[in-house]
């Protein structure tokens, strides 16, 4: 009987004293403008402009495997005023598509200071950011390998490049592919819909890990096939942007400023989120059908 009493007392403590749920009203964060940028060498400067959204609003944003139109209409900023100022010149960007703005006039000068300004016509919200263009670094050697094994094919990219040992340098290497290509990949179409795709892995490099100021690697591309065309982009980036991308990588995220709300990540955007950069990538394109 005594043991039974102990069991009943324990049960009452564990199950009879559970507090009632408390309703908590958490206010969603106010949306802000989210900025991302990319320079395509000798071609165009691309700026994406979206609105952030709260994680509390995350349900219902997808239809199957894609973002639904209502959600895109909510975050894409249309008809914004977007300018880039450098060396006393003010360049106004034009809207390529909702949320994406470009300029074919913005010139790329080494160590040039670029200041971006954007205004959302719907809300009146304004942001600005300033960045420095760091000199481009070229590949010393680069070539792909298509290794055909029984029942499996391995795609590798081998490359080397030199680093300037007199300065602290940071790099990012991106891989882009065009699936089952019948024509070479066009970098100008990376930001449009179609069969181009950014491979879900990118490399962040700190020159502290280089040997004799040389970086050499043989990189396997698990998402590529022997019928793709691929582009490899080497970009010399600022320490601030390196830290921004590193924060994304540690959190398990990809470069995804379209739908992200990077409120906890480094930013150089005043009154907004994201990162404005003007890095000048070195790009090499290969049709794997030829290897």
């Amino acid at each position: 009987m005594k043991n039974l009493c102990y069991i009943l007392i324990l049960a009452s403590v564990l199950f009879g004293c559970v507090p009632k749920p408390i309703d908590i009203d958490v206010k969603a964060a106010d949306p802000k403008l989210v900025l991302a940028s990319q320079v395509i060498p000798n071609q165009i400067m691309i700026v994406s402009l979206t609105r952030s959204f709260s994680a509390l609003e995350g349900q219902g944003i997808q239809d199957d495997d894609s973002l639904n139109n209502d959600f895109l209409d909510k975050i894409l900023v249309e008809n914004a005023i977007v300018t880039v100022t450098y060396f006393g010149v003010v360049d106004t960007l034009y809207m390529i598509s909702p949320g994406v703005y470009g300029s074919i006039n913005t010139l790329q000068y080494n160590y040039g200071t670029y200041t971006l300004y954007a205004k959302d016509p719907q809300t009146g919200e304004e942001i600005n950011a300033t960045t420095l263009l760091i000199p481009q670094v070229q590949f010393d050697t680069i070539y792909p390998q298509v290794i055909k094994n029984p029942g499996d094919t391995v795609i590798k990219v081998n490359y080397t490049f030199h680093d300037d040992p007199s300065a602290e340098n940071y790099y990012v290497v991106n891989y882009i592919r065009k699936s089952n290509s019948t024509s070479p990949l066009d970098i100008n179409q990376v930001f449009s819909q179609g069969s181009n795709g950014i491979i879900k892995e990118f490399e962040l490099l700190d020159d502290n890990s280089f040997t004799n100021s040389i970086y050499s690697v043989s990189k396997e591309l698990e998402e590529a096939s022997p019928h793709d065309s691929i582009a490899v982009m080497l970009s010399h980036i600022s320490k601030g942007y390196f830290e921004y991308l590193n924060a994304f990588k540690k959190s398990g995220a990809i470069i995804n400023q379209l739908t992200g709300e990077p409120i906890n990540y480094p930013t150089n955007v005043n009154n907004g989120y994201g990162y404005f950069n003007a890095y000048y990538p070195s790009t090499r394109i290969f049709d794997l059908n030829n290897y």
Side-chain angles (χ1 to χ4, degrees):
M1 178 63 72
K2 184 182 292 186
N3 290 337
L4 179 58
C5 290
Y6 285 143
I7 293 172
L8 292 174
I9 292 172
L10 180 61
S12 68
V13 171
L14 294 177
F15 304 109
C17 300
V18 177
K20 294 181 179 180
I22 300 174
D23 293 331
I24 300 177
D25 184 13
V26 179
K27 183 180 182 297
D30 293 331
K32 288 189 176 183
L33 295 179
V34 182
L35 173 69
S37 61
Q38 174 70 61
V39 172
I40 299 175
N42 302 316
Q43 296 280 346
I44 191 171
M45 172 179 279
I46 296 286
V47 171
S48 73
L49 198 61
T50 59
R51 299 182 186 92
S52 67
F53 67 96
S54 170
L56 299 175
E57 303 175 90
Q59 295 183 348
I61 67 173
Q62 289 184 294
D63 293 329
D64 298 325
D65 294 328
S66 60
L67 298 174
N68 65 49
N69 290 331
D70 290 341
F71 175 72
L72 291 175
D73 290 341
K74 183 177 180 180
I75 68 168
L76 296 176
V77 179
E78 296 188 55
N79 303 315
I81 300 171
V82 182
T83 64
V84 175
T85 303
Y86 57 99
F87 297 108
V89 177
V90 180
D91 186 11
T92 300
L93 280 63
Y94 62 95
M95 189 174 77
I96 300 174
S97 62
V100 180
Y101 299 81
S103 169
I104 59 174
N105 299 317
T106 301
L107 303 178
Q108 290 88 48
Y109 296 99
N110 288 343
Y111 298 111
T113 298
Y114 294 81
T115 299
L116 183 138
Y117 165 84
K119 181 176 181 178
D120 183 347
Q122 181 175 328
T123 64
E125 187 176 2
E126 299 174 314
I127 59 172
N128 63 79
T130 299
T131 194
L132 183 71
L133 191 148
I134 305 174
Q136 185 188 55
V137 171
Q138 296 278 353
F139 291 105
D140 291 332
T141 62
I142 179 169
Y143 60 93
Q145 280 183 291
V146 179
I147 305 170
K148 297 181 179 179
N149 300 317
D152 184 30
T153 301
V154 177
I155 309 296
K156 289 187 176 182
V157 175
N158 306 278
Y159 61 86
T160 62
F161 67 89
H162 276 78
D163 171 74
D164 179 3
S166 65
E168 186 180 68
N169 295 303
Y170 301 88
Y171 306 91
V172 60
V173 182
N174 291 100
Y175 305 95
I176 299 171
R177 67 184 175 88
K178 184 173 184 180
S179 300
N180 300 316
S181 61
T182 57
S183 61
L185 183 149
D186 184 357
I187 291 296
N188 293 308
Q189 299 300 316
V190 168
F191 295 90
S192 66
Q193 294 181 352
S195 58
N196 289 340
I198 298 176
I199 293 177
K200 297 177 183 178
E201 184 176 354
F202 60 95
E203 294 182 277
L204 289 172
L205 308 176
D206 179 340
D207 66 356
N208 288 326
S209 63
F210 291 11
T211 302
N212 297 324
S213 300
I214 297 176
Y215 184 74
S216 178
V217 70
S218 179
K219 172 69 176 177
E220 182 177 346
L221 303 182
E222 295 183 356
E223 296 183 40
S225 82
H227 301 295
D228 292 347
S229 59
I230 61 171
V232 184
M233 302 174 67
L234 168 64
S235 302
H236 189 191
I237 61 176
S238 67
K239 182 178 181 180
Y241 192 54
F242 177 90
E243 292 172 344
Y244 175 80
L245 293 177
N246 195 40
F248 267 108
K249 196 158 192 175
K250 285 183 177 179
S251 68
I254 317 168
I255 303 177
N256 192 0
Q257 288 112 340
L258 177 65
T259 61
E261 184 181 7
I263 58 175
N264 294 321
Y265 299 97
T267 181
N268 64 350
V269 180
N270 295 315
N271 199 39
Y273 303 134
Y275 212 95
F276 175 50
N277 64 75
Y279 63 75
Y280 194 41
S282 172
T283 304
R284 297 291 299 274
I285 300 174
F286 303 96
D287 185 347
L288 297 181
N289 291 288
N290 297 326
Y291 293 88

